Amino acid sequence: MRHSDSGCSAHHHSCAAAGSVQACVSIVPIFNHLEPVQLEQIMETVQSATYKKGETIYRAGEKSDSLYIVHKGSVKIYRLSASGKEHMVSLLHPGDFTGEYALFSESIHESYGEALEETQMCIIQRDDIHAFLEKYPAISLKILQEFSQKLERSEKQTAYFATEKVETRIALYLVELADKLSSGKTVVLPMSRKDLAAYLGTTPETISRKIADLEAQGLLKQLSKKKLEILDVDGLL
Amino acid sequence: MRHSDSGCSAHHHSCAAAGSVQACVSIVPIFNHLEPVQLEQIMETVQSATYKKGETIYRAGEKSDSLYIVHKGSVKIYRLSASGKEHMVSLLHPGDFTGEYALFSESIHESYGEALEETQMCIIQRDDIHAFLEKYPAISLKILQEFSQKLERSEKQTAYFATEKVETRIALYLVELADKLSSGKTVVLPMSRKDLAAYLGTTPETISRKIADLEAQGLLKQLSKKKLEILDVDGLL
DNA sequence: CCCATTCCTTGACGACGGTCAAGTTTTAAA
DNA sequence: TTTAAAACTTGACCGTCGTCAAGGAATGGG
């Protein structure tokens, strides 16, 4: 097992030896089913890094050779199109990970990772992951499960873009959010209009307008910029 | 290893015991690196089925518990949106597979599979696959590679839909096709305008119009309905 | 070969939503 | 707290593209 320390000395973000990193590994679905002994082995190889709000974690074009797990904070993954438009791929919270592509083929990042707040990441090198997979094949199955779920969601997402108009995509997003939070009927938007637009493939202006329209139709109510009360779920669909 | 014969007796498509199924397994990237002995074991568990043009292989809502590998012919995978619009997810050719989601979690199909011509499929049951993965962990790595590639492509696809307008998507599709076929500058569209529209998230009318526009701009030339000569790759991008 | 069906193309029209701009509110930094 | 910057909203305008409709081309079965 290689104890690489690359990625720390040469960067401006702060790094730490694996200290309270334990939680980081044990909250990830990929690893959280493992025996304590195995967990400990993995934790020995984990790098930790913290990023300030707005700081870039990786950028498109850079070599990609590690798995990033969010420990604390949140991370925005986005792509830039040839025409310079931003598309947000996903928003990562503690326990989520990124960099999967790198694990199984030499590759470079096609997306950007950016901390949305003070964020701590756990980083595992590809070679270390490979060693674990050989040692504990059960991990492969877990990763395969995660991958197939991600794939399923990504294809569903693509289908939405291909077949639904913006208003429908926004409505679907709000309903999905309400389901996920299951916080009654009040939804808290987890990001700015700009980011939401980048996620849903539209513009901040259209988001504002459509939410206003939905409110005018009596389907929801804006409690504040970020807080919406869903009044009629079926009407939204 | 279980030798299920479900899916044959009860259906109207024709089935066959594993006969000339050998090629089927050995052409798949997932398996083609295995030893002959291992290949043979897998082949013993393979079901074979043939479908006529237009025949449905599986539909959304059905239980999903096998991996489908295309042996001969071609298959269209598509989704139907709530509003009834069709989105083509992919077009499968010999060596391609589908049904991956099912392999790692109890699940039902979210898409439809339809034979576009006389097609022969090889079918492997989930339980059999699982047994192989435990026996030969190397297969997991291969599948993980395939998955991460599919995931990468799917996210790129989503980004296109989110950020590019229809004309750009069509142009990008043509260029990609030209690259893949590497057949000089002549491209043969592998599907009808209707299917192409379902793939690119637009309508047959718009496809016709945009291709006509591109021709008017001198970027390509229609040799026939399905044959296009790319005149200016850079102009298309 | 003929006919019916499906596929493709083109036109007219309008809706959806992107862009630009201006004004307002919120946020964060000094 | 004050001030600058960023975020949000709303209006006006217009380009892109989806819809509906009609005519022509290609395809396949009898």
Side-chain angles (χ1 to χ4, degrees):
Chain A
M1 194 99 343
R2 192 172 48 78
H3 278 234
S4 160
D5 56 4
S6 72
C8 260
S9 49
H11 292 68
H12 57 299
H13 58 259
S14 60
C15 294
S20 68
V21 168
Q22 183 157 5
C24 188
V25 172
S26 54
I27 55 174
V28 190
I30 295 178
F31 297 126
N32 66 7
H33 62 106
L34 294 174
E35 302 294 322
V37 192
Q38 301 171 2
L39 272 181
E40 231 162 271
Q41 289 184 1
I42 294 181
M43 287 184 297
E44 282 174 14
T45 71
V46 170
Q47 301 285 323
S48 177
T50 60
Y51 299 85
K52 292 193 290 280
K53 176 176 177 175
E55 201 172 342
T56 295
I57 295 165
Y58 59 78
R59 30 173 52 89
E62 287 181 2
K63 201 181 66 182
S64 166
D65 60 1
S66 3
L67 183 74
Y68 292 83
I69 303 168
V70 180
H71 187 190
K72 280 188 280 191
S74 56
V75 174
K76 173 172 89 171
I77 308 296
Y78 64 96
R79 286 173 167 259
L80 290 183
S81 76
S83 43
K85 274 192 191 169
E86 175 181 325
H87 174 236
M88 187 190 299
V89 177
S90 59
L91 202 57
L92 305 182
H93 297 287
D96 296 333
F97 59 90
T98 179
E100 322 95 50
Y101 320 118
L103 296 183
F104 308 105
S105 47
E106 279 292 338
S107 70
I108 58 169
H109 288 289
E110 299 202 4
S111 55
Y112 298 76
E114 179 189 323
L116 290 179
E117 56 190 302
E118 182 84 10
T119 293
Q120 185 175 5
M121 304 283 280
C122 297
I123 304 170
I124 309 180
Q125 303 294 125
R126 170 170 46 206
D127 295 349
D128 292 337
I129 294 268
H130 274 224
F132 285 121
L133 292 185
E134 277 175 31
K135 223 166 159 186
Y136 310 116
I139 302 178
S140 296
L141 286 182
K142 274 287 173 185
I143 300 184
L144 281 167
Q145 275 177 27
E146 286 289 321
F147 270 33
S148 60
Q149 277 170 29
K150 275 202 182 191
L151 192 51
E152 186 87 27
R153 249 184 314 160
S154 177
E155 288 191 355
K156 188 180 217 165
Q157 190 82 350
T158 309
Y160 281 160
F161 279 109
T163 59
E164 310 292 359
K165 53 185 182 183
V166 170
E167 181 167 310
T168 310
R169 298 208 295 272
I170 294 175
L172 283 170
Y173 174 80
L174 293 177
V175 171
E176 201 173 295
L177 201 60
D179 286 353
K180 193 158 52 193
L181 303 179
S182 72
S183 53
K185 304 273 186 208
T186 303
V187 160
V188 178
L189 299 179
M191 50 183 141
S192 68
R193 297 281 189 273
K194 184 153 128 319
D195 283 345
L196 196 51
Y199 182 68
L200 294 175
T202 179
T203 62
E205 293 94 324
T206 297
I207 300 263
S208 278
R209 271 189 265 267
K210 292 303 179 187
I211 288 183
D213 288 354
L214 295 173
E215 187 170 22
Q217 293 171 46
L219 301 177
L220 56 79
K221 197 163 139 190
Q222 288 200 33
L223 305 178
S224 73
K225 301 263 177 209
K226 294 267 162 62
K227 262 194 191 166
L228 304 179
E229 187 184 351
I230 308 290
L231 298 178
D232 182 355
V233 175
D234 296 331
L236 286 173
L237 302 175
Chain B
M1 196 98 345
R2 191 172 48 78
H3 278 232
S4 161
D5 56 4
S6 73
C8 260
S9 48
H11 291 67
H12 57 300
H13 59 257
S14 59
C15 295
S20 68
V21 167
Q22 182 157 7
C24 190
V25 172
S26 52
I27 55 174
V28 190
I30 296 179
F31 297 126
N32 67 7
H33 62 104
L34 294 174
E35 301 294 322
V37 192
Q38 301 172 0
L39 272 181
E40 231 162 90
Q41 289 184 0
I42 294 180
M43 286 184 297
E44 281 174 15
T45 71
V46 169
Q47 300 285 322
S48 177
T50 60
Y51 300 85
K52 291 193 290 280
K53 176 175 177 175
E55 201 172 342
T56 296
I57 295 165
Y58 60 78
R59 30 172 51 90
E62 287 180 3
K63 200 181 67 181
S64 167
D65 60 0
S66 3
L67 183 73
Y68 291 83
I69 304 167
V70 180
H71 188 189
K72 280 187 280 190
S74 56
V75 173
K76 173 172 90 172
I77 308 296
Y78 65 96
R79 286 173 167 259
L80 290 184
S81 76
S83 43
K85 275 191 189 171
E86 176 182 326
H87 174 236
M88 187 190 298
V89 177
S90 58
L91 203 57
L92 305 182
H93 296 287
D96 295 334
F97 58 90
T98 179
E100 323 94 51
Y101 321 117
L103 296 182
F104 308 105
S105 48
E106 278 292 338
S107 69
I108 57 168
H109 287 289
E110 298 201 5
S111 56
Y112 297 76
E114 178 190 324
L116 291 179
E117 56 190 302
E118 182 85 10
T119 293
Q120 185 175 5
M121 304 283 280
C122 296
I123 304 169
I124 309 181
Q125 304 293 124
R126 169 168 49 204
D127 295 349
D128 292 337
I129 295 268
H130 273 223
F132 285 120
L133 292 185
E134 277 174 29
K135 222 166 161 185
Y136 311 116
I139 301 178
S140 297
L141 286 182
K142 274 287 173 182
I143 300 185
L144 281 167
Q145 275 177 27
E146 286 289 320
F147 269 33
S148 59
Q149 277 170 29
K150 275 202 183 191
L151 192 51
E152 186 89 27
R153 250 184 313 159
S154 177
E155 288 190 356
K156 189 180 217 165
Q157 190 81 350
T158 309
Y160 281 160
F161 279 109
T163 59
E164 311 291 358
K165 55 186 181 183
V166 171
E167 181 166 311
T168 310
R169 298 209 295 273
I170 295 174
L172 283 170
Y173 174 80
L174 293 177
V175 171
E176 201 174 295
L177 201 59
D179 286 353
K180 195 158 50 192
L181 302 179
S182 72
S183 52
K185 304 273 185 210
T186 304
V187 160
V188 178
L189 299 179
M191 49 184 144
S192 68
R193 297 283 189 272
K194 184 153 129 319
D195 283 345
L196 197 51
Y199 182 68
L200 295 175
T202 180
T203 61
E205 293 95 324
T206 297
I207 301 262
S208 277
R209 272 189 265 266
K210 291 305 179 187
I211 289 183
D213 288 354
L214 296 173
E215 187 170 23
Q217 292 171 46
L219 301 177
L220 55 79
K221 198 162 137 192
Q222 286 199 14
L223 304 178
S224 72
K225 301 262 178 209
K226 294 267 163 60
K227 262 194 192 167
L228 305 179
E229 187 184 351
I230 309 290
L231 298 178
D232 182 355
V233 175
D234 297 330
L236 286 173
L237 302 175

